[in-house]
Amino acid sequence: MHIRTATAATVGSLALLALFAPTAQADEHNGDIAFTSVAFSKSTVNVGISEPQTLTVAATAKDESGIWGMVGLKLVSSDNRILYAKSSTCTRPTRTTMKCTWSYGLESDRTDYADLRNSSAGTWHLDLEARGYDGDYYTLDSSATTKVKRFAKLATTQATPEPVAKGKTLTVTGALTRADWNTNTYVGFAGQKVALQFKKSGASTYTTVKTVTTDSTGKLKTTTTANAAGTWRWHFAGTGTTSSATAAGDGVALK
């Protein structure tokens, strides 16, 4: 990403995250103009620390006088930072309609001011206005939303002893971490409920056996009874700001 001033940002400009954007208001419109479709390429974007993610938005507007253009073209984060599109294309499918597509880049590589911060995780909304040749307008301020979340990881499940005698105790461990966008590292996610799941040998689905809470460093540890051979794994459902995660399983045989 490259730093640009808000006044210089135009269609096709590189991304900028501004510190203070206006708080989202309700959508507004005047006249017969309308957005007939607004679609995000992803309902949720999970961003880690090394792989930039791309989000595409496509919108079509219609007005009987024809669409003069679309302005704004920005995403606003949960902490009111502004992200401008890095590229855009617009076409006129008919006399009365215009369709535009924008591409946004999301990353946290700590190379410049525009990178994501932890406070930005959550619900983002599209801020966009379509204008007709007759002066009609339609402003999207709150209704078009997507989720931008911190990517979570679960370490490979470890179940011991292997093999285990039927009816004996297994100790199962793991660890939950998530991307810290402020430091560009993965850190332990404390105090989170994670499901311990089991799939019996020959079965196709996992069943939750119990729920365990991560410790202050994101570690998981519990005991369970081995009643059948099969595979054990951890599964985290995620939160409003953090992605879900599923660990690689550990197969345990009976002796």
Side-chain angles (χ1 to χ4, degrees), residues 1-243:
M1 295 182 184
H2 302 281
I3 301 174
R4 291 176 66 96
T5 63
T7 55
T10 59
V11 176
S13 69
L14 295 178
L16 165 70
L17 281 171
L19 280 177
F20 302 106
T23 303
Q25 306 295 321
D27 292 356
E28 296 181 1
H29 64 91
N30 178 68
D32 63 356
I33 193 170
F35 282 98
T36 57
S37 67
V38 179
F40 292 91
S41 59
K42 303 173 185 176
S43 59
T44 301
V45 186
N46 300 318
V47 185
I49 64 172
S50 59
E51 294 293 331
Q53 300 297 310
T54 298
L55 177 67
T56 301
V57 184
T60 300
K62 181 178 182 179
D63 186 86
E64 285 306 309
S65 71
I67 301 296
W68 173 83
M70 297 190 201
V71 297
L73 320 175
K74 57 184 179 284
L75 290 172
V76 181
S77 69
S78 56
D79 61 349
N80 290 326
R81 290 171 177 257
I82 295 174
L83 181 64
Y84 285 100
K86 62 181 182 179
S87 65
S88 66
T89 58
C90 292
T91 60
R92 297 181 183 274
T94 69
R95 179 189 65 80
T96 60
T97 62
M98 174 180 279
K99 180 178 181 180
C100 293
T101 302
W102 304 278
S103 178
Y104 299 88
L106 295 156
E107 59 186 333
S108 64
D109 62 5
R110 300 285 293 167
T111 59
D112 59 41
Y113 168 79
D115 293 331
L116 293 170
R117 295 295 183 264
N118 292 340
S119 58
S120 301
T123 300
W124 291 43
H125 69 270
L126 181 66
D127 193 334
L128 172 65
E129 183 173 284
R131 297 176 182 173
Y133 283 110
D134 58 2
D136 292 351
Y137 67 88
Y138 200 113
T139 303
L140 293 175
D141 276 322
S142 61
S143 62
T145 63
T146 190
K147 293 280 189 180
V148 179
K149 294 187 177 185
R150 296 162 64 180
F151 184 70
K153 300 192 296 184
L154 275 165
T156 300
T157 308
Q158 297 293 327
T160 57
E162 300 179 50
V164 63
K166 184 175 182 178
K168 295 300 183 179
T169 298
L170 270 177
T171 298
V172 188
T173 59
L176 175 65
T177 59
R178 64 172 173 169
D180 186 327
W181 293 340
N182 293 346
T183 61
N184 205 41
T185 59
Y186 281 97
V187 297
F189 198 4
Q192 300 304 303
K193 295 185 181 301
V194 181
L196 176 63
Q197 299 181 329
F198 178 69
K199 182 177 68 173
K200 188 176 180 179
S201 294
S204 59
T205 59
Y206 282 87
T207 300
T208 297
V209 175
K210 63 166 65 175
T211 300
V212 181
T213 302
T214 57
D215 68 13
S216 60
T217 62
K219 297 287 196 313
L220 291 155
K221 185 175 182 179
T222 191
T223 58
T224 188
T225 302
N227 293 316
T231 304
W232 297 87
R233 74 176 186 184
W234 296 102
H235 174 72
F236 174 58
T239 70
T241 59
T242 305
S243 74

